[in-house]
Each structure stands twice: as C-alpha cells, then as structure tokens.
Amino acid sequence: MDINNAVLKHEEKAVFALRSLYQTYGYSQYKMSKFEEYDLYVRNKNFLVSDNIITFTDTDGKLMALKPDVTLSIIKNSKDVPGCVEKVYYNENVYRVSKGTHSYKEIMQTGLECIGDIDNYSIYEVLMLAAESLALVSSEYVLDVSHLDIVAEVMESVGVSDEAKREILKCIGEKNLHGISAICEGEGKDGEKLRRLVSTYGAPKQVLPVLRELVGESAALMQLEQILDALTASGMGDKIQIDFSVINDMNYYNGFVFKGFINGLASGVLSGGQYDNLMSKMGRKSRAIGFALYLDLLEQLEQNDREYDVDAVILYEDGCDLAALNGAVRLLTANGKSVMAQKSVPEKLHYKQLLKLQDRGVEIIENNA
C-alpha cells in the first residue's frame, strides 16, 4: 500500500513534493518566527493579500503581529549582494482571513523568492517552477501571465492622468471594458487600445501578434516573448495563457505578474510576480521575484475529489472475537483499502461498503461502490 496516498492529505503530499522540487534547483529553506513587528506590515498593507492582521503587545510593550505574509520577512532579513541571487523557499503557516472560510485561519503556505541580480533566466526559472508546482498538485492547471510594463506602456500611450490610471487598473483587473471606456471618455481620450489589451487573452502564439500591434517591438514585449518561448520549449506551452487582467499594485510590483489555477477550484491557488518597487520602498537595491502557493485551498480540492470518507465500515458487537475482527481489518488494509471498525455507523459518514462481523466471517450488508 502507498502510505503517502493512503494517509496524507492533498496539502501534506504537496509540501513534500514541492520541497524536493525547489531543492533540486538550489533553493534553501527559509525559517522564520511566527510573528514580526506590526510596523513592518502596516507600512506595506497594500502589498498584503489581506490587511486584516492579528496583533498583540509583547512583554516590552512593542506591538507585534502574527505573520500574515512571508515575503516581507524574507526581504527584511536578506542582504544585497551584487552579482548574486539569493534563492529561498519556505513552508510556513500564515495567519489571515481564509479565502475558503472568510474567517481568521492558520494557513499553510509554500513558495519561493529570488532576491538579487535578477535577470531573464531568474524570471524564467521562477515561472517554470510556478508551473511545475501547479503540475505537482494537478495535471489540469493553467498559469496566467501578464506584464505590468506593457500595461503601463499602453496607458501612457493613451495619455490619461495618474488618477485615471489607478481607476483603469481596477477595471483591467475586473475586465470591465465599459468602465475603461467611461474613464477614458471622461478625460477626452480614446480607450480603444486599453480595451483591446484587456480583451486579449489566450495562448502566446495567438496573443503576441496582437500585442505587437499595440506596443510595437518594445523591450517589455521582447522580454515577454523570450521567456514565454523558453517556457514553451520546456513543454509548458499549452499550460501558459497571457491574461492582462492579472494585475497587482504598481506601487509594489513591476514586470511579470502571474496567477495559477487548477481544475476544481474557483479561485487562484498560486500568485506571484516581480516586486522591485517593494524592494526599493524598503531601502533595497536588489530586484526580486517570487510566488506563493495557497495550500489551504487544496482542502477544498480534497473534499471535491473524495466521494467517500472510507472504503469500508465493519460493524461488530460487544464480546466479538477480537482476533477475527483484527483479521478482517488487516485483510482489507493489506489490499489498499481504508477501513473503520465501529459498533454503529457514524452520522454523515460516506462509505463504499458496509460489512458486519459474523461468526462465520464478514458479511456484506451494503455496497455503494
């Protein structure tokens, strides 16, 4: 019997597989405390997935926070080393409002960060590992990729004000074409280019020609094409989609941003991007890129995938032959089945087979398989 498949949950199996994947590419594990000074987070609230932060006062009177994010701590505790890239991965619990339950939860999160002299290979490697991470969770995945510099170029060419740009970014994230038109018209500008950008979605070979019409041979487009070509050459071309509705705050992010989805979950399970602007805000000279995989969402996947809680329930009575009961349980588990021995069937338990221990052996009472 495969113990990993029989015992471990989706998110637990993912942690082991992802750790092995990241170590293969030279990433070392980053460990951190459960809490940081609250000031670290309050100064960068817009960077966080959720601005709901659990705080407490330390014994010295300092306001602390249970960490809602790992990236900020990694930046705080790393150093600029010219010509080098620090590569770390993490498997940490963060404390925030869960997307699944909408209440505070201790969420298992894994991911990686590259900090330092980031070049096109570094960006490719992170995107490739993001796709590989999704593949370890499910073969039915897609990685949506955007480039904020291209979005900025198109907005600049339209000539809208900075305030309008902020509103347009919100509309791009919502794929709100009507909103984009209304904002541009309010400024006396033609929003056709922006509408085309937002409407452009799909495989790189379909989207890149359209982008070339919009921005020409810009440096950002050439970079996007080069890295997507490398991902295609790695066999991931059919899993990558260009989608400019993948937007992050430009005060913190720049360049590539991306989001990963797997079949069976409505919301994105992976999110990442370049955050050179955040590094600059925190007084750093290095560039950076990384992503996080939200393992709490895999609990929903497990619930969706699992039709039965257990393969078989064996009913027995007080005073039964313990050796006979043990023999029946061990026979079924030896054949790879999960078994629960009970005197009565627990409420709301879903099972494939209901068995009963008799003097002459085990009798099948119900078969749902």
Side-chain angles (χ1 to χ4, degrees):
M1 179 175 63
D2 186 338
I3 294 177
N4 285 341
N5 287 329
V7 177
L8 298 181
K9 296 180 179 180
H10 268 296
E11 65 268 28
E12 293 170 330
K13 287 186 283 187
V15 166
F16 287 107
L18 292 167
R19 181 172 63 188
S20 176
L21 171 65
Y22 303 150
Q23 289 176 344
T24 298
Y25 284 85
Y27 289 74
S28 57
Q29 187 169 13
Y30 177 85
K31 288 282 191 179
M32 63 178 289
S33 170
K34 288 186 177 181
F35 39 84
E36 284 273 10
E37 292 183 27
Y38 176 66
D39 186 58
L40 174 66
Y41 301 118
V42 77
R43 284 187 281 107
N44 299 284
K45 270 194 172 184
N46 290 338
F47 178 76
L48 302 175
V49 174
S50 170
D51 61 3
N52 294 306
I53 302 171
I54 302 173
T55 61
F56 66 96
T57 303
D58 206 351
T59 54
D60 60 1
K62 188 175 295 182
L63 188 61
M64 306 295 288
L66 286 174
K67 65 176 187 288
D69 176 82
V70 179
T71 301
L72 290 171
S73 291
I74 291 176
I75 296 172
K76 176 186 172 184
N77 294 292
S78 62
K79 296 180 180 180
D80 293 322
V81 181
C84 294
V85 177
E86 183 178 3
K87 299 183 178 185
V88 299
Y89 76 92
Y90 58 86
N91 175 40
E92 295 283 343
N93 289 328
V94 295
Y95 304 85
R96 64 168 69 132
V97 175
S98 170
K99 294 179 181 179
T101 64
H102 305 291
S103 60
Y104 278 113
K105 189 176 180 183
E106 185 177 35
I107 298 169
M108 189 186 298
Q109 179 177 304
T110 191
L112 57 81
E113 308 292 344
C114 275
I115 297 175
D117 187 13
I118 302 299
D119 57 13
N120 280 358
Y121 176 77
S122 302
I123 296 169
Y124 156 76
E125 183 178 83
V126 169
L127 284 165
M128 178 271 294
L129 288 173
E132 291 281 8
S133 298
L134 292 168
L136 286 173
V137 175
S138 170
S139 61
E140 298 181 62
Y141 75 90
V142 63
L143 184 67
D144 285 351
V145 177
S146 177
H147 201 300
L148 293 181
D149 293 353
I150 293 176
V151 176
E153 286 176 19
V154 174
M155 285 199 295
E156 195 65 34
S157 70
V158 174
V160 294
S161 66
D162 289 342
E163 183 179 350
K165 288 176 183 177
R166 288 190 288 271
E167 295 301 316
I168 286 171
L169 277 176
K170 294 179 184 177
C171 291
I172 291 175
E174 298 166 355
K175 293 191 176 182
N176 183 353
L177 300 181
H178 176 75
I180 291 172
S181 296
I183 294 168
C184 290
E185 287 172 9
E187 299 227 333
K189 305 295 183 181
D190 183 2
E192 176 59 23
K193 273 183 130 179
L194 282 166
R195 290 193 297 271
R196 284 192 68 192
L197 182 71
V198 177
S199 302
T200 301
Y201 171 86
K205 64 180 180 181
Q206 297 170 337
V207 173
L208 289 171
V210 178
L211 295 179
R212 201 165 285 111
E213 293 177 14
L214 289 173
V215 298
E217 294 295 337
S218 72
L221 179 58
M222 292 174 65
Q223 183 188 41
L224 177 66
E225 187 169 14
Q226 180 183 357
I227 289 173
L228 292 180
D229 283 348
L231 290 169
T232 299
S234 298
M236 301 172 181
D238 62 334
K239 298 293 188 179
I240 308 295
Q241 302 285 322
I242 298 176
D243 183 357
F244 285 96
S245 71
V246 178
I247 291 290
N248 284 329
D249 191 331
M250 286 188 177
N251 290 317
Y252 296 91
Y253 288 92
N254 63 289
F256 281 86
V257 289
F258 47 95
K259 186 170 285 189
F261 300 85
I262 60 177
N263 188 36
L265 294 177
S267 57
V269 71
L270 180 147
S271 181
Q274 291 178 253
Y275 49 92
D276 300 349
N277 295 338
L278 172 64
M279 296 291 288
S280 180
K281 280 179 175 290
M282 294 182 69
R284 299 291 300 278
K285 296 179 180 179
S286 294
R287 302 174 63 201
I289 182 171
F291 64 81
L293 184 64
Y294 307 115
L295 297 176
D296 63 310
L297 295 177
L298 300 189
E299 294 177 9
Q300 299 176 32
L301 185 67
E302 184 170 40
Q303 291 168 3
N304 293 340
D305 286 349
R306 190 178 63 186
E307 185 178 355
Y308 299 103
D309 300 307
V310 68
D311 290 320
V313 175
I314 299 180
L315 297 177
Y316 66 93
E317 297 178 353
D318 284 330
C320 74
D321 186 333
L322 292 182
L325 177 59
N326 180 56
V329 170
R330 292 178 66 85
L331 178 63
L332 290 168
T333 56
N335 284 286
K337 294 184 178 181
S338 55
V339 184
M340 180 183 289
Q342 291 276 6
K343 293 180 183 178
S344 61
V345 180
E347 187 178 357
K348 296 182 179 179
L349 182 73
H350 297 281
Y351 51 84
K352 290 183 181 180
Q353 281 188 321
L354 180 63
L355 311 173
K356 188 171 183 179
L357 184 67
Q358 307 280 20
D359 291 340
R360 58 183 177 278
V362 174
E363 179 183 346
I364 297 176
I365 304 299
E366 187 179 341
N367 195 340
N368 299 316

